[in-house]
Amino acid sequence: MKLNYIFVLLAAVLLAGCELEELPVATTSKGPIFSSESGLVLYTNSFYNMLNGKNLHRADAMSDYLARKDTPPYITEGNFSPQVSTGWTWTDLRNINYFIQNCTDPKVPLNVRRNYLGIARFFRAWFYFDKVKRFGDVPWIGKALDVTDTDILYKGRDPRAMVMDSVLADLDYACNNISTNSEPTRSLITKYVAFAFKARVCLHEGTFRKYHANIGLQSTSAAWLNQAATAAKKVIDEGGYKLYDGAGTDKSYRQVFINPAPMATEVMLSAVCDLALNNLNDANWYWTSGTYGDKASFIRTFINTYLNIDGTPFTNNPNYKTMLFKDEVKNRDKRLTQTIRAGDYKRTSGGAVVPSPPLFSYTYTGYMPIKWALDDMYYDTRDLNINSVSIFRYAEVLLAYAEAKAELGTLTDADWALTVGALRKRAGITGGLSTRPTAVDPYLQANYFPGITDPILLEVRRERGIELCLEGFRFDDIVRWRRGELMQMEWNGMYVPQLNTPMDLNEDGVMDVAFFKTPPATKVPGVTYVEVAPIVAGKPNSQLIAGDTSGELTWLNNIPRRWTDKHYYYPIPTGDIITNPKLTQNPGW
């Protein structure tokens, strides 16, 4: 009964949240909430909704390496403006600040209060990190606003440096005061999750300051990168995590993303799904439906970055441009066939296991993702997925450490073997695992990072793209590296050697797809026919072949995507600037 009473009071407090432009309202009595550890647990549990974990499987929907059924409005010319911008919401912040300033009751031991204050400050750092990434300078609000706080309510934007210093202070408090080192369900914030988040934040901020000289903070970038490396090493040395490899090089990587329970050796924090509680996600529906999701598939330029199994660049092969799909997926980094439909990939349909090549009623490029999708077609409609969605995992920590050290120029052979080498070993790669690379891959440099001449940094970035794909990092990475131009990359697909000739994509003896400009007189049963004529029904066709009768597939070249410097920050919504004229708009918007 006591817990029920506390929950009612907590709900009243949460309902007292406000937008930054709204006047705060009075709250109910706080005593029952803050006078017991059970009240602190209930209150801090309310913060977890901020993580939005169940949707992370589709967080890369706007990225350079995915083609989709439409161009993202944000980078489609004329389709985005301050009038339609979102994200300037502050309710979560008031909820957190209210907890921080009221968690003072001496009835709860000090060390217990500090633990929950650490969790609250973790989430305040989460809130502000998201705001700074999206908008740049934002107002720092360090208290729950009262009705008399109009000077704070209508203040202007604080400098990025000041806000991020405050974020770092919150993270340091969380790391030093959260008392839980580990918990079996992987659903709660622990000390080492806080250190992992600190590594993520500091890596982002350090590289952003390094590559965005226009904000005038380059001289401070190394300090942030050192903080990233130190935080990541704390997790590596003390956290007790390791890469999951229990299913061998052919399956271990993907198993991390399709297992119902989090792989506790590697996954540090997860949005845990539970069939009994009807707490499910929509990964299959999103990644297999031709109507519900974005019909997102990888582009060939990115697929080409997956190494050969011996650790050499795939694009060293002089014939890579004209290699057929069935051949280009062989003898590669085994994460490739654990990320897309390829080779002997199979699915279950009504209890029967069936070959499942790329499905051209879904994919535009041929490189159809499977990383988050379960193999039973039962899950393909609606939100039925039981696989948990990782929010933090050890692989990201390894890559944060490697990248921070590479940016600082201090990454050693031992560091390489511990991080990138270990990830590649898990993926079955046999070469280059113990020593740093010494040669630049010209393909990776020319297509992705022309300004980078350090082969170590290039390879760390390659590894990050491959290991963390579809986990919600890519757009932020592009922004912090100042490589927004990648968002304009052509959406290209597999090589088509000739028209009107069915192709067997998985070598099971069954023809899968054919491409035509003029409809064939006779169609082969079971084959998906894709029209690639320039004009279809009097309108430009979005699905083409780069050459006249052979070449790479292309998609949506007729709708240009535009990136300019203004896109490194979202615009503040017009309505919020009207309400508070002290909020100056971001440049270019």
Side-chain angles (χ1 to χ4, degrees):
M1 179 65 71
K2 179 181 179 183
L3 285 180
N4 288 338
Y5 177 54
I6 291 173
F7 185 80
V8 170
L9 290 176
L10 175 60
V13 171
L14 299 186
L15 289 173
C18 64
E19 303 302 321
L20 191 58
E21 69 272 11
E22 294 173 353
L23 289 174
V25 296
T27 59
T28 187
S29 170
K30 63 189 179 185
I33 298 171
F34 294 103
S35 61
S36 69
E37 184 173 4
S38 58
L40 303 186
V41 169
L42 280 172
Y43 199 123
T44 54
N45 281 351
S46 72
F47 302 150
Y48 282 80
N49 288 332
M50 294 170 57
L51 300 176
N52 196 28
K54 289 201 302 180
N55 291 324
L56 279 180
H57 68 83
R58 48 177 164 164
D60 273 348
M62 185 173 72
S63 57
D64 63 322
Y65 51 45
L66 288 182
R68 40 185 268 181
K69 64 184 178 184
D70 55 7
T71 59
Y74 187 61
I75 53 173
T76 303
E77 197 163 20
N79 273 21
F80 201 87
S81 69
Q83 286 73 32
V84 298
S85 188
T86 59
W88 196 263
T89 52
W90 300 80
T91 305
D92 287 331
L93 178 62
R94 185 173 194 276
N95 184 30
I96 296 166
N97 280 339
Y98 187 88
F99 179 89
I100 291 171
Q101 70 187 54
N102 288 289
C103 185
T104 58
D105 196 316
K107 294 187 183 70
V108 181
L110 180 60
N111 64 315
V112 174
R113 279 183 276 137
R114 285 176 174 170
N115 173 64
Y116 293 102
L117 284 167
I119 293 171
R121 292 183 70 168
F122 173 99
F123 280 102
R124 186 163 67 180
W126 182 279
F127 174 90
Y128 265 109
F129 181 49
D130 180 68
K131 284 288 183 286
V132 169
K133 286 189 299 179
R134 190 172 181 87
F135 297 111
D137 296 347
V138 294
W140 174 263
I141 310 293
K143 60 170 288 187
L145 300 184
D146 295 321
V147 293
T148 58
D149 290 324
T150 54
D151 56 332
I152 301 176
L153 188 66
Y154 296 110
K155 67 181 288 187
R157 302 162 71 183
D158 289 309
R160 180 189 187 109
M162 176 269 189
V163 175
M164 289 307 298
D165 283 347
S166 301
V167 167
L168 184 58
D170 275 349
L171 286 172
D172 283 337
Y173 186 94
C175 291
N176 292 329
N177 289 281
I178 294 175
S179 59
T180 305
N181 291 336
S182 179
E183 58 87 31
T185 69
R186 295 298 188 258
S187 61
L188 298 173
I189 305 298
T190 66
K191 176 181 292 289
Y192 292 109
V193 170
F195 274 107
F197 185 38
K198 180 179 176 180
R200 180 188 293 183
V201 170
C202 291
L203 177 67
H204 188 284
E205 190 64 12
T207 49
F208 192 97
R209 294 184 183 201
K210 180 175 181 176
Y211 294 106
H212 291 256
N214 59 306
I215 67 172
L217 296 172
Q218 275 186 309
S219 63
T220 62
S221 65
W224 284 86
L225 292 169
N226 273 308
Q227 291 268 15
T230 300
K233 197 63 162 60
K234 184 83 170 178
V235 178
I236 293 169
D237 291 343
E238 301 178 11
Y241 300 97
K242 70 182 188 69
L243 297 176
Y244 171 74
D245 59 4
T249 57
D250 291 320
K251 296 181 179 179
S252 292
Y253 174 72
R254 183 164 177 250
Q255 196 65 40
V256 173
F257 308 103
I258 63 173
N259 211 57
M263 290 297 190
T265 59
E266 179 172 347
V267 175
M268 303 175 68
L269 181 66
S270 179
V272 180
C273 290
D274 190 309
L275 181 61
L277 297 176
N278 198 33
N279 183 30
L280 307 169
N281 70 72
D282 66 354
N284 273 52
W285 196 16
Y286 179 83
W287 289 109
T288 65
S289 172
T291 55
Y292 169 68
D294 287 302
K295 294 182 69 173
S297 293
F298 290 103
I299 64 172
R300 196 182 198 209
T301 306
F302 176 73
I303 294 297
N304 287 341
T305 67
Y306 281 74
L307 297 172
N308 293 321
I309 199 69
D310 64 2
T312 59
F314 168 70
T315 49
N316 283 358
N317 185 327
N319 300 317
Y320 81 89
K321 291 182 179 180
T322 57
M323 196 174 291
L324 299 180
F325 177 86
K326 66 183 181 63
D327 297 317
E328 66 180 339
V329 298
K330 296 176 182 175
N331 300 314
R332 304 278 294 278
D333 176 336
K334 292 186 179 181
R335 285 171 295 191
L336 179 57
T337 52
Q338 296 174 72
T339 302
I340 63 169
R341 294 192 182 197
D344 62 353
Y345 174 70
K346 296 179 176 64
R347 305 194 75 210
T348 301
S349 176
V353 177
V354 296
S356 300
L359 191 64
F360 271 85
S361 59
Y362 175 93
T363 183
Y364 301 109
T365 67
Y367 306 108
M368 185 174 176
I370 61 169
K371 181 168 174 173
W372 290 107
L374 301 177
D375 295 334
D376 194 326
M377 297 183 194
Y378 162 80
Y379 299 102
D380 288 358
T381 56
R382 305 204 64 80
D383 47 344
L384 300 173
N385 278 59
I386 59 174
N387 48 321
S388 297
V389 181
S390 55
I391 301 169
F392 284 91
R393 63 186 183 97
Y394 185 57
E396 182 207 344
V397 175
L398 294 179
L399 286 167
Y401 182 69
E403 187 178 348
K405 297 278 282 185
E407 289 284 5
L408 292 165
T410 60
L411 187 135
T412 65
D413 284 344
D415 294 331
W416 177 267
L418 176 70
T419 57
V420 178
L423 291 165
R424 291 182 177 179
K425 182 179 179 180
R426 198 248 301 260
I429 293 174
T430 58
L433 304 181
S434 59
T435 57
R436 295 163 294 174
T438 57
V440 165
D441 175 7
Y443 179 89
L444 188 65
Q445 185 183 54
N447 286 278
Y448 284 93
F449 309 113
I452 303 298
T453 59
D454 178 3
I456 299 171
L457 188 53
L458 280 170
E459 289 302 319
V460 170
R461 289 188 180 185
R462 181 206 303 270
E463 191 65 20
R464 186 173 176 89
I466 290 169
E467 176 69 26
L468 301 180
C469 68
L470 306 186
E471 295 182 54
F473 295 101
R474 188 62 173 183
F475 183 77
D476 287 345
D477 287 350
I478 287 170
V479 167
R480 65 187 178 89
W481 294 331
R482 200 173 176 84
R483 288 294 297 138
E485 295 83 0
L486 293 175
M487 297 298 294
Q488 301 173 153
M489 188 174 290
E490 181 180 63
W491 287 351
N492 60 343
M494 68 181 197
Y495 178 76
V496 178
Q498 54 191 6
L499 298 176
N500 301 311
T501 304
M503 303 169 65
D504 180 2
L505 300 179
N506 58 349
E507 298 186 281
D508 65 347
V510 177
M511 296 300 169
D512 301 306
V513 64
F515 301 89
F516 69 92
K517 290 184 178 179
T518 302
T522 304
K523 293 185 177 181
V524 177
V527 171
T528 299
Y529 284 84
V530 179
E531 188 166 5
V532 291
I535 303 296
V536 175
K539 298 180 179 180
N541 186 8
S542 295
Q543 182 80 81
L544 301 172
I545 291 178
D548 183 31
T549 58
S550 65
E552 291 180 342
L553 290 171
T554 65
W555 171 249
L556 271 185
N557 278 351
N558 55 321
I559 302 179
R561 286 163 280 127
R562 298 280 186 245
W563 184 276
T564 64
D565 279 353
K566 74 176 184 179
H567 288 95
Y568 285 112
Y569 295 122
Y570 275 73
I572 297 174
T574 299
D576 294 290
I577 290 182
I578 292 173
T579 302
N580 180 7
K582 291 183 180 178
L583 298 176
T584 56
Q585 186 56 275
N586 278 325
W589 293 103

